[in-house]
Amino acid sequence: MRKINYISIAFVFLIGLSAQAQTKAWTLEECVRYAIKNNISIKNTELDTISSNIDKRDAFGNFLPSANLNASHSWNIGLNQDITTGLLRNQTTQQTGIGANVGVDIYKGLQNQNIMRRAKLSIVASKYRLVKMQEDIALNVANAFLQVLFNKENLKVQNEQLAINEKQFKRSEELVKAGSIPRGDLLDVKATVATNKQNVINAENALLISKLSLAQLLQLKEFWDFDVIDDTNINDENNIMSVKPIDIYAKAKESRTELKIAQANLEIAEKDVAIAKGAFQPTLTAFYGFNSRVSYADVVAFDDTGMPIGTKPADSFGTQLNDNKGQNFGLQLNVPVFNGWSVRNNVDRNKVNLEKSKIALEKEDLDLQRNVYTAFTDAKGAMNAHESAIVALENREEAYNYSKEKYAVGLMNSFDFNQSQTLLTNAQSEVIRTKYDYIFKIKILEFYFGIPIDQIMKK
């Protein structure tokens, strides 16, 4: 019996842990970190960085000598030349040959050096692209995170409005029974309640879809119990709106990854031109080769007068290998004279790419300037819109309270009263919308100023 009690207690404890795990709410910082670690696009960009490091190893290998071993074994049957006498005779022979070759570039128009420098620049560029991808994902996560919060607050407003109208419906029923209002007003309130219920369903669906979108962005597999923190307020603790756009642009030029990527691509294009020009210059290569052979055929024996007296077994493997060895070494100079203009065309092609890279860098600078000033204008407009929405809500609340008093004493019909309620709900929704629009616009502006993306979300 006691054992059963222990099992029951353990089961309840595990259920409690499971409930706690399911109700955990993610912060923006947790979402960003998880997305950067697990997002597929980021993982794919990380593989590009690995490929760049492999290219660097290839470039380093160009400075090393090349070495190759070769071996062969052959059977010759029939009329063959005797390797001892040089005469033709019917015989079956076997022969093994071995060799080794070593070559090293002494001079190659500085192409190897420029290829190494290009490989190093490619690693830098790939790292910048990884950072850019992480920044984009973080910004997308922040946008999706704020969308969830907006839908949560909107659902709360719709539920509150539904509760108010349901109470109003019960109140209207009592007024109809008392003869204070016509039955038609009750039907209007009933229709309003039905509309409110539909609005609640729509708000629930929007919240579910926004949670799903954020969970997919994070690559979460178990997204059905996914949730985020609710208590997020507007916080411009960095006072970014007091900074002049020109100062934000100057700071962005120092830190923005887009410009660093464009600059790295420009330097890579310059190295490509240098590599292509190197093909115009002569190349000097040193080489060394070793070879030997072994024959398994019997050799003819001769007497002192030079007459053949029979055959004898061939020398041992090691002896023949030593006796038949040969070596060759030297330098090889190749001077390009004419190659169908392929080298020149390749140089011109890379020069075109260099000019494109210069234009791309200039365009990134112009785009950055435009984006900063646009972000500042958008943030300022969003701030003004939110402040106006708050004022409008305060006025709508006063108007609604006044309408409620008039409706209670029969001085306002249900249609006009429902209109007042609808305007109040719209004002509440507009405050929520402008709030999160302002938060996101502030975040973009801070993003250009180099402030980490999760610092905007403070309790």
Side-chain angles (χ1 to χ4, degrees):
M1 187 68 176
R2 182 176 298 174
K3 183 177 181 181
I4 296 177
N5 289 336
Y6 287 155
I7 294 176
S8 300
I9 293 173
F11 179 75
V12 172
F13 178 72
L14 291 175
I15 291 295
L17 289 179
S18 177
Q20 290 180 358
Q22 291 180 353
T23 56
K24 177 188 179 301
W26 290 55
T27 65
L28 175 61
E29 182 180 4
E30 290 173 332
C31 290
V32 170
R33 288 181 178 178
Y34 191 90
I36 289 177
K37 183 179 179 181
N38 297 278
N39 186 269
I40 292 178
S41 298
I42 291 178
K43 289 183 177 180
N44 189 57
T45 308
E46 288 174 345
L47 293 177
D48 292 338
T49 303
I50 295 175
S51 297
S52 297
N53 281 281
I54 296 174
D55 292 340
K56 181 183 176 182
R57 293 205 301 267
D58 283 340
F60 179 76
N62 292 334
F63 292 96
L64 302 177
S66 61
N68 298 283
L69 298 176
N70 58 78
S72 64
H73 187 86
S74 61
W75 287 263
N76 297 309
I77 303 174
L79 189 64
N80 295 296
Q81 187 178 34
D82 192 301
I83 62 174
T84 303
T85 64
L87 301 176
L88 296 176
R89 52 182 296 199
N90 286 314
Q91 59 180 345
T92 299
T93 63
Q94 298 184 55
Q95 185 170 309
T96 298
I98 62 173
N101 296 284
V102 178
V104 61
D105 291 329
I106 298 177
Y107 183 77
K108 199 177 179 182
L110 300 180
Q111 286 184 313
N112 291 342
Q113 290 83 347
N114 287 318
I115 290 173
M116 172 59 78
R117 296 187 185 104
R118 187 192 189 282
K120 291 180 178 179
L121 289 171
S122 295
I123 293 177
V124 173
S126 65
K127 289 181 178 179
Y128 285 149
R129 286 192 293 270
L130 176 59
V131 172
K132 180 64 170 60
M133 180 61 66
Q134 292 172 342
E135 291 174 344
D136 291 344
I137 293 298
L139 199 59
N140 291 337
V141 168
N143 188 23
F145 188 94
L146 293 174
Q147 187 64 43
V148 173
L149 295 182
F150 165 73
N151 289 327
K152 276 192 168 189
E153 290 199 27
N154 186 54
L155 176 59
K156 190 182 300 182
V157 169
Q158 298 300 331
N159 279 323
E160 290 174 353
Q161 190 61 44
L162 176 61
I164 292 172
N165 287 330
E166 286 178 338
K167 291 181 180 179
Q168 188 62 41
F169 178 72
K170 293 180 181 179
R171 175 62 178 163
S172 297
E173 282 184 324
E174 296 175 356
L175 293 175
V176 169
K177 291 178 182 180
S180 300
I181 61 173
R183 186 170 181 80
D185 287 354
L186 177 63
L187 295 177
D188 286 338
V189 176
K190 187 176 182 180
T192 301
V193 171
T195 301
N196 290 149
K197 289 181 179 179
Q198 184 62 42
N199 292 338
V200 169
I201 294 174
N202 292 336
E204 289 175 342
N205 292 337
L207 176 59
L208 178 62
I209 292 174
S210 62
K211 285 184 178 181
L212 176 60
S213 299
L214 179 56
Q216 288 180 336
L217 193 59
L218 268 59
Q219 308 298 141
L220 285 177
K221 296 181 179 179
E222 299 179 358
F223 54 83
W224 46 85
D225 58 352
F226 174 73
D227 202 359
V228 301
I229 59 171
D230 298 342
D231 48 353
T232 300
N233 298 313
I234 293 179
N235 193 331
D236 187 15
E237 66 177 12
N238 297 300
N239 203 19
I240 191 67
M241 293 303 298
S242 65
V243 183
K244 295 180 180 179
I246 190 172
D247 295 330
I248 298 176
Y249 167 64
K251 184 68 177 295
K253 286 190 68 174
E254 299 175 358
S255 59
R256 288 307 303 153
T257 310
E258 298 93 328
L259 289 180
K260 294 180 180 179
I261 293 174
Q263 181 62 42
N265 289 337
L266 174 60
E267 294 175 5
I268 290 174
E270 290 174 344
K271 294 304 174 187
D272 286 337
V273 172
I275 293 170
K277 286 182 176 180
F280 280 121
Q281 301 186 34
T283 61
L284 181 62
T285 304
F287 62 89
Y288 170 80
F290 171 84
N291 61 83
S292 185
R293 68 182 188 277
V294 175
S295 176
Y296 300 92
D298 291 338
V299 298
V300 178
F302 298 92
D303 59 16
D304 294 338
T305 63
M307 296 298 294
I309 58 175
T311 61
K312 66 177 182 178
D315 293 334
S316 66
F317 185 91
T319 300
Q320 290 191 65
L321 198 64
N322 182 65
D323 292 342
N324 297 327
K325 66 183 179 181
Q327 303 179 62
N328 65 92
F329 55 89
L331 300 173
Q332 180 176 344
L333 178 67
N334 291 320
V335 180
V337 177
F338 182 75
N339 43 47
W341 296 291
S342 62
V343 174
R344 182 173 298 279
N345 290 339
N346 192 37
V347 172
D348 292 340
R349 189 178 298 110
N350 282 282
K351 285 183 177 180
V352 171
N353 292 333
L354 176 59
E355 292 302 317
K356 287 182 178 180
S357 298
K358 291 179 179 178
I359 294 174
L361 177 59
E362 183 178 357
K363 182 178 181 300
E364 286 293 345
D365 190 14
L366 293 173
D367 289 346
L368 178 62
Q369 185 179 28
R370 183 183 67 252
N371 292 337
V372 167
Y373 277 84
T374 300
F376 185 85
T377 303
D378 290 345
K380 188 175 182 179
M383 178 182 67
N384 295 333
H386 182 63
E387 292 174 351
S388 298
I390 293 175
V391 174
L393 176 59
E394 293 173 351
N395 293 327
R396 288 300 177 191
E397 287 175 342
E398 291 182 6
Y400 171 74
N401 292 331
Y402 180 66
S403 298
K404 186 165 61 174
E405 293 175 358
K406 292 177 65 177
Y407 181 74
V409 296
L411 297 178
M412 178 179 284
N413 59 42
S414 61
F415 178 80
D416 292 335
F417 180 64
N418 289 337
Q419 286 293 103
S420 178
Q421 286 181 318
T422 300
L423 292 174
L424 175 61
T425 302
N426 292 339
Q428 291 172 329
S429 298
E430 184 65 10
V431 168
I432 297 172
R433 187 195 68 78
T434 55
K435 168 187 174 181
Y436 287 107
D437 183 58
Y438 177 48
I439 291 176
F440 188 64
K441 297 295 175 53
I442 284 290
K443 186 62 253 171
I444 292 177
L445 197 59
E446 290 187 335
F447 194 54
Y448 285 117
F449 202 61
I451 299 174
I453 197 167
D454 55 359
Q455 287 189 10
I456 192 68
M457 310 300 264
K458 300 292 182 182
K459 295 184 180 180

